[in-house]
Amino acid sequence: DSGVTQTPKHLITATGQRVTLRCSPRSGDLSVYWYQQSLDQGLQFLIQYYNGEERAKGNILERFSAQQFPDLHSELNLSSLELGDSALYFCASSSGVAAPYEQYFGPGTRLTVT
Amino acid sequence: AQSVAQPEDQVNVAEGNPLTVKCTYSVSGNPYLFWYVQYPNRGLQFLLKYITGDNLVKGSYGFEAEFNKSQTSFHLKKPSALVSDSALYFCAVRDNVGTYKYIFGTGTRLKVLA
């Protein structure tokens, strides 16, 4: 158990809908990362937050947004969903941001868009 | 731009034999390099990392990795494979010039045959 929790575990929704994925980092970790894992594209970095502020952005679509709250949990919002958004979404956390800390991954949320 | 390549989609090895999973990278400046393992229906788990110093890095579960600057490689190795090592292995890189982005390879599926 990494100490990172993600909810829900599974999510099935229709095209055009909006969903929110939630992540609670390991106790004491200030950095949160979001990744998308699909069969054909591997693990894609989406976005990183550190202590409530956005620190790095990857291949995140404009339809997607995220935030990190004062209690350090983070939410990833996916809107106007398309079939191609079906994937596993992972959250990871680490102690800080500047040093190359290892990341601790949650179990993931499997999103199925029908 | 930083990148990482895992040239083999799958590696098969007999139990008890040595294993190697290959990774090459491209970054500006000095790299921070990581290996993670993903078991079915689980999040990624950290195995080891290279920051600086000794080119041979030892990690969890008997794995080690060799950093080779001239070949820009960071291959994962284990002297004697176990069937339980069968999993998906990801190499990741982060540069040290302040972007804080972690780039993951596409993954290599390791299958250890009994």
Side-chain angles (χ1 to χ4, degrees), chain B residues 44-64:
Chain B
L44 279 69
Q45 295 178 35
F46 170 75
L47 277 179
L48 51 82
K49 68 180 176 183
Y50 172 83
I51 301 174
T52 187
D54 195 349
N55 289 343
L56 186 65
V57 179
K58 294 192 182 295
S60 307
Y61 312 121
F63 283 93
E64 56 190 28

Side-chain angles (χ1 to χ4, degrees), chain B residues 4-77:
Chain B
V4 61
Q6 293 181 244
E8 302 154 318
D9 290 336
Q10 181 159 322
V11 169
N12 295 328
V13 64
E15 188 175 29
N17 281 3
L19 69 88
T20 298
V21 182
K22 295 179 181 177
C23 172
T24 59
Y25 66 90
S26 174
V27 293
S28 304
N30 295 319
Y32 299 134
L33 296 156
F34 303 79
W35 276 101
Y36 287 83
V37 60
Q38 184 180 26
Y39 297 101
N41 302 314
R42 302 284 295 275
L44 279 69
Q45 295 178 35
F46 170 75
L47 277 179
L48 51 82
K49 68 180 176 183
Y50 172 83
I51 301 174
T52 187
D54 195 349
N55 289 343
L56 186 65
V57 179
K58 294 192 182 295
S60 307
Y61 312 121
F63 283 93
E64 56 190 28
E66 187 169 10
F67 171 66
N68 188 317
K69 189 170 184 177
S70 62
Q71 296 186 6
T72 61
S73 67
F74 189 57
H75 300 332
L76 181 70
K77 301 182 179 188

Side-chain angles (χ1 to χ4, degrees), chain A residues 13-98:
Chain A
T13 189
T15 54
Q17 295 298 305
R18 173 189 169 96
V19 297
T20 297
L21 313 184
R22 183 188 168 102
C23 167
S24 292
R26 268 189 342 153
S27 176
D29 282 356
L30 299 178
S31 259
V32 169
Y33 310 77
W34 285 98
Y35 294 90
Q36 179 191 57
Q37 185 179 32
S38 54
L39 281 175
D40 58 346
Q41 291 195 10
L43 196 68
Q44 298 289 318
F45 167 69
L46 296 177
I47 198 163
Q48 180 203 2
Y49 282 84
Y50 175 74
N51 205 19
E53 292 188 7
E54 182 185 307
R55 295 307 296 266
K57 216 166 186 176
N59 301 321
I60 187 165
L61 299 172
E62 284 191 13
R63 300 183 284 110
F64 296 0
S65 65
Q67 55 183 326
Q68 186 180 26
F69 295 86
D71 68 352
L72 301 178
H73 91 271
S74 178
E75 292 181 357
L76 179 67
N77 300 296
L78 315 176
S79 61
S80 304
L81 285 167
E82 301 174 359
L83 295 177
D85 297 328
S86 296
L88 258 176
Y89 290 85
F90 286 107
C91 167
S93 72
S94 68
S95 306
V97 61

Side-chain angles (χ1 to χ4, degrees), chain B residues 15-16 81-87 110-114:
Chain B
E15 188 175 29
L82 299 172
V83 171
S84 57
D85 293 330
S86 299
L110 174 67
K111 192 169 183 179
V112 181
L113 307 168

